[in-house]
Amino acid sequence: MSTSASGRPQRVDARHNRGRILDVAEEVFGKGGRSASTEEVARLAEVGIATVFRHFPTKAALVEAVLVRRFDRLREHAEGLLGSADAGAAFFDFFSHLVADAATKIAIGEALHDLTGDTDGDAATASLGLRRAFGALLRRAQEAGAVRDDAELPEVYALLVATSRAASQPHVDAEVRARMLAIVFDGLAPR
Amino acid sequence: MSTSASGRPQRVDARHNRGRILDVAEEVFGKGGRSASTEEVARLAEVGIATVFRHFPTKAALVEAVLVRRFDRLREHAEGLLGSADAGAAFFDFFSHLVADAATKIAIGEALHDLTGDTDGDAATASLGLRRAFGALLRRAQEAGAVRDDAELPEVYALLVATSRAASQPHVDAEVRARMLAIVFDGLAPR
DNA sequence: GAATATATGGAGTCATGACTTCGGATGTCA
DNA sequence: TGACATCCGAAGTCATGACTCCATATATTC
């Protein structure tokens, strides 16, 4: 990724621009969803449109790169929590964190929604990795008696995706989001 | 609506086409979301594209007409349940019904998401009417002791929208949906 | 600091989809 | 059944946004 196909190292300005484009794209797609235009990304990154397409051959590839980075970070976060002492808190904290995160990242919610079940592409792979890590958190919380035993990953993950998307509704503020999560968490408590 | 602006009654072929276009549009936008093309609506309705635009001046107007009709039906359904004896069952049945309904109507879920909070436009008005009727169902269920008292409409409605959208995920089948709802409903039960 | 491969940006092209125009068809009413 | 307003579909126009070309600029190497 840091060297061109010919084996020679990428020029520093090129590497710098690539990172900048990724950062801006995360911001732009986070705010406007996938339908935000590539031109806006270029404008805010202060590069020409051609530069964007040189680094990412298609818009889909750019979106995918953004999602992979974000999913990987979330997965790392989840995996980090696997070592924590309180398995219940780890599970619920991560759930809350992801929902709050998605609240400002429309594209993430969209992608979680659309990609779940897909198997092709790097973003789908990263999404699956996140789902697996979340599944491990869930299992540990269940073994610790913090989450009901009869809840299985598909429905819990569906709830995670659902509440994430709901959180990006314009008028769902932090308070409503917290109360919504409180209801879901009560539903996940052991019977 | 059944007469033209000049006061003369609409020709029967025109009225017939209008209804047919609405039906097909509900199907097409339900399946593909708002981004489905007007041309496909025309093709499946077996009319020319111009006919669609004659009846609905813009694509947005067509989508709005579809949504108004659907929201109104849902609201009527909710209002009908206000008379039922079991207030708890009425609330949960309507919740389940709307989620199952949205599972096959992507545009409905999108609209519920986007319109909530809006105040302009007929679809927003219809959406608000649905929300009000749902609020009445909720209050009655709370008074009957079937739903926890501290749950307020904003978060419960957000949950309704959230689970509706989740239900339209490709791999969320009826079983997963039912288990997801079971968790939410347990969370809504009195403490 | 000169040579050269690499990177850049702005002006294109092209496809898509919303919307319009207009000659012809059809329901309606006397 | 004839006159006519209304309605129709096919072939347009136009704007948007993804993607490309090429002359210029800059990093890197010796």
Side-chain angles (χ1 to χ4, degrees):
Chain A
M1 197 70 91
S2 63
T3 60
S4 68
S6 66
R8 182 184 287 230
Q10 212 178 24
R11 264 167 53 171
V12 297
D13 55 344
R15 196 200 313 276
H16 173 256
N17 273 337
R18 188 181 198 279
R20 182 169 179 73
I21 289 166
L22 261 184
D23 288 342
V24 170
E26 180 160 347
E27 170 79 18
V28 170
F29 292 133
K31 207 152 140 202
R34 313 165 109 97
S35 63
S37 75
T38 313
E39 198 188 336
E40 194 183 352
V41 174
R43 193 164 41 79
L44 293 181
E46 294 175 327
V47 299
I49 183 82
T51 300
V52 176
F53 281 101
R54 196 168 307 107
H55 287 288
F56 305 94
T58 64
K59 178 183 179 177
L62 172 59
V63 172
E64 182 148 73
V66 168
L67 292 177
V68 165
R69 205 169 63 153
R70 189 128 209 110
F71 285 148
D72 281 351
R73 278 192 202 138
L74 289 167
R75 178 181 47 75
E76 282 163 18
H77 183 194
E79 287 171 351
L81 286 171
L82 281 173
S84 89
D86 187 337
F91 171 80
F92 291 114
D93 284 354
F94 181 74
F95 200 121
S96 305
H97 172 262
L98 196 149
V99 170
D101 194 66
T104 58
K105 307 284 173 182
I106 297 178
I108 299 294
E110 283 180 0
L112 277 172
H113 181 99
D114 296 341
L115 288 176
T116 318
D118 270 19
T119 51
D120 288 352
D122 291 344
T125 303
S127 170
L128 190 59
L130 172 60
R131 183 185 162 108
R132 283 227 185 82
F134 181 75
L137 278 178
L138 171 63
R139 207 169 317 117
R140 243 174 46 103
Q142 286 174 319
E143 284 163 4
V147 170
R148 59 199 283 179
D149 274 324
D150 63 340
E152 286 172 41
L153 182 55
E155 58 264 25
V156 180
Y157 199 73
L159 271 175
L160 178 69
V161 174
T163 47
S164 295
R165 301 216 62 184
S168 70
Q169 279 184 120
H171 76 122
V172 171
D173 57 25
E175 283 186 30
V176 171
R177 191 167 74 224
R179 288 206 296 270
M180 177 178 73
L181 281 182
I183 292 170
V184 172
F185 289 176
D186 280 342
L188 285 169
R191 295 293 82 200
Chain B
M1 196 71 90
S2 63
T3 60
S4 68
S6 66
R8 182 184 287 228
Q10 212 178 25
R11 264 167 54 171
V12 296
D13 53 346
R15 195 201 314 274
H16 173 255
N17 273 338
R18 188 181 197 278
R20 183 170 178 74
I21 288 166
L22 261 184
D23 288 342
V24 170
E26 179 160 348
E27 169 80 19
V28 169
F29 292 133
K31 208 152 141 200
R34 315 164 107 96
S35 63
S37 76
T38 314
E39 198 189 335
E40 193 183 353
V41 174
R43 193 164 41 78
L44 292 181
E46 294 174 327
V47 299
I49 183 84
T51 300
V52 176
F53 281 100
R54 196 167 306 109
H55 287 287
F56 305 94
T58 63
K59 179 182 179 177
L62 173 58
V63 172
E64 181 148 71
V66 169
L67 292 177
V68 166
R69 204 170 62 153
R70 188 128 208 110
F71 285 148
D72 281 351
R73 279 194 202 137
L74 289 167
R75 177 183 47 75
E76 283 164 17
H77 182 194
E79 286 170 351
L81 285 170
L82 281 174
S84 90
D86 187 339
F91 171 80
F92 290 115
D93 283 354
F94 181 74
F95 200 121
S96 305
H97 172 262
L98 197 149
V99 171
D101 194 65
T104 57
K105 307 283 174 184
I106 297 178
I108 300 295
E110 283 179 0
L112 276 171
H113 180 100
D114 296 342
L115 288 176
T116 317
D118 271 18
T119 50
D120 288 351
D122 292 343
T125 303
S127 169
L128 189 60
L130 172 59
R131 184 186 162 108
R132 283 226 185 82
F134 180 74
L137 278 178
L138 170 63
R139 205 169 320 114
R140 242 173 47 102
Q142 286 173 319
E143 284 163 5
V147 169
R148 59 198 283 179
D149 274 324
D150 63 340
E152 287 172 40
L153 182 57
E155 59 263 26
V156 180
Y157 199 73
L159 271 174
L160 178 69
V161 174
T163 47
S164 294
R165 302 215 61 183
S168 69
Q169 279 185 119
H171 75 121
V172 172
D173 58 24
E175 282 187 28
V176 171
R177 192 168 74 224
R179 289 206 295 271
M180 178 178 72
L181 281 183
I183 292 171
V184 172
F185 289 176
D186 280 343
L188 285 169
R191 295 293 81 203

